[in-house]
Structures are given as C-alpha cells and as structure tokens.
Amino acid sequence: MLVYPSGADVSSSALRFLAARLREHRLALGTRWRRLNAGRQALLTLAHLRNGQPYAQLAAGFEIGTTTAYRYITEAVNLLATLAPTLTEAVRAASTKAYVILDGTLLPIDRIAADRPFYSGKHKKHGMNVQVIADPKGRLVWASPALAGAVHDVRAAREHGIIEALTEAGITCWADKGYQGACGTVRLPYRGRWDSLSAGQQAVNRSHAKIRALVEQAIATLKSWRLLRKLRCSTTRITSLVQAVLVLQLAATG
C-alpha cells in the first residue's frame, strides 16, 4: 500500500480537546505504553471521522495494525459519546436563545432492499434518522440518537422527547411540515397547495421558510464530517459516531 501525506480540515481546538480527554482516560486506566500517544490517537480518530478513510488506509499511514487502528478509534469515539450533552442540557443551553429550529436528516447507510425498517420513503434510500436542533444563527445545538430511516420526523421527535422538553421550557421551535401534529411550542407552516392559501398565509409561509432555512447550516456542519455521508458500519454504532461528532463540533466552536 502506498502511503502519502494528507490533511484534515479540523480545528486544532478539537484535536487538543480530544487529546486531553484521551490523556485523562489513559491516566484513569493506568495505561503505561501504547503504540500511539494520546495526541496521535486523537489525530487518527479525527482523520477517520472527518475524511471517512477506512481503517486499513489509516493504519498504513500511522504505521500500526488495522486491528489497532480500529481499537484506538472505537475507544476514542466511545469516550467522546459519553461526553455528549443530553437533551435536558441542550434545552437548558437553548433557553437563552430567542428560539430554536428543529429538523431531521437522513444519514445514508449501505443496506439492501430487504432492510425495510431503514428505508426512508421521503429520501428514497436507506439510512438513519437524526433530529437536529439549531440556534437562530444556524449553529448546531444538539443532535439526537439515530433511529431507523423509516421513522418519520414527528415520530422521532416524540420518541426523543424533544417536543415535550421544548414546550416545558417555553422555547419556541420552528419546524417544517414533517412535524404536523407536534403541537406545544412548535411553529409550523400552513398546509395546502400554494395557490389555495390566502395572501396572508403565503406571507407567513415565506417568513417561516426564511427562518427555518438556517437549520440547513447545522445539518451541513454535521455532515462536514464525511464519515456520516455514507456509513458502512453496524447501525448499532451510528449513535456513538453522531454523538462523538457533536461533541467535537461543540468543542471546536465553543
């Protein structure tokens, strides 16, 4: 295998954050020696998450075995996932905002047609449903655990307790038509064909769309970590990957 220099467009603060957490973790375990120090293990993990490179390629670049690369990355991802904010913590942070924006996104996975629970009729592909909360500037606030792609957005929001939590906190939330019936503090556009809406309803929907469009920035931020653009791992690991990326992104911007 040919080995060549490469790079990852990740903030150095994310690298320092992960390296510090790994040093603390190793100290707690009493680890004396490893093939990679905490800084190199952090870089290995960031390269995997940001660029989506396979374990074999990363192992060659870092001069370690493929199994060791898998083990190091899994350890770092699981460690980050435990640091992810809960919905309660995210809502507490969002309570200082004028409002939040809620939307769902599909993380594509390599599943066959027989895996119907993972097939999203909306997106016409297999994947995992992740709910994203953004602030008024389009910055990522929280990302939910992953559910099967066949789960609709409003059902996913209810299962995670998002609607109830935002309503109890009195936080106004803007969402699209996929959240019909959500109630609470969720604000939705008027339903119906555009030409059947009144002039006032059309104006409301235009204003609603301008506000809600900013959530796309948060979703783009999440998917800037290229591993999440096409997941080839077990579906049981996807929540940990999403939570790890959330922690890194918050660390880089916070």
Side-chain angles (χ1 to χ4, degrees):
M1 181 178 294
L2 296 175
V3 179
Y4 59 91
S6 185
D9 55 338
V10 184
S11 168
S12 59
S13 59
L15 176 63
R16 291 193 297 270
F17 173 83
L18 178 53
R21 302 293 81 75
L22 286 170
R23 291 188 192 97
E24 293 169 358
H25 180 64
R26 292 184 180 194
L27 185 61
L29 292 177
T31 302
R32 295 184 178 181
W33 181 86
R34 290 199 184 187
R35 290 292 304 276
L36 298 181
N37 60 33
R40 294 285 287 172
Q41 183 181 357
L43 183 59
L44 171 72
T45 304
L46 291 177
H48 177 63
L49 295 174
R50 191 67 168 188
N51 295 337
Q53 290 179 309
Y55 298 115
Q57 292 181 6
L58 290 169
F62 282 81
E63 298 182 337
I64 56 178
T66 303
T67 302
T68 302
Y70 172 82
R71 188 172 68 251
Y72 280 6
I73 291 171
T74 300
E75 178 186 44
V77 166
N78 290 341
L79 176 61
L80 286 169
T82 63
L83 302 175
T86 64
L87 177 60
T88 300
E89 292 169 339
V91 169
R92 188 181 304 121
S95 63
T96 61
K97 312 293 183 182
Y99 57 86
V100 297
I101 314 168
L102 173 65
D103 200 3
T105 187
L106 189 80
L107 302 182
I109 59 175
D110 59 342
R111 287 296 182 271
I112 59 175
D115 295 315
R116 297 301 298 178
F118 299 102
Y119 185 78
S120 169
K122 175 182 177 181
H123 297 278
K124 309 300 181 185
K125 64 177 67 174
H126 293 80
M128 301 294 285
N129 179 302
V130 172
Q131 298 293 297
V132 175
I133 296 177
D135 70 8
K137 294 184 178 180
R139 293 175 298 200
L140 184 64
V141 173
W142 186 73
S144 75
L147 296 176
V151 177
H152 296 290
D153 284 338
V154 67
R155 177 184 161 193
R158 284 172 174 155
E159 287 194 21
H160 295 308
I162 298 172
I163 299 170
E164 181 181 359
L166 293 175
T167 300
E168 287 182 356
I171 301 174
T172 301
C173 172
W174 298 81
D176 64 17
K177 295 178 182 179
Y179 295 87
Q180 288 293 335
C183 300
T185 55
V186 178
R187 299 290 179 263
L188 303 172
Y190 286 102
R191 296 184 66 183
R193 294 173 58 89
W194 182 257
D195 54 8
S196 68
L197 300 178
S198 67
Q201 290 174 330
Q202 290 178 358
V204 169
N205 279 10
R206 278 194 292 266
S207 176
H208 187 284
K210 289 180 180 179
I211 294 173
R212 202 195 63 78
L214 289 172
V215 75
E216 297 300 332
Q217 294 183 21
I219 293 174
T221 295
L222 193 66
K223 291 187 176 181
S224 67
W225 299 81
R226 297 177 187 87
L227 184 71
L228 300 184
R229 296 180 188 176
K230 184 66 174 181
L231 291 154
R232 295 177 172 82
C233 61
S234 168
T235 55
T236 60
R237 296 188 58 230
I238 294 176
T239 290
S240 294
L241 291 169
V242 172
Q243 298 299 295
V245 166
L246 172 64
V247 171
L248 289 171
Q249 190 61 45
L250 293 177
T253 58

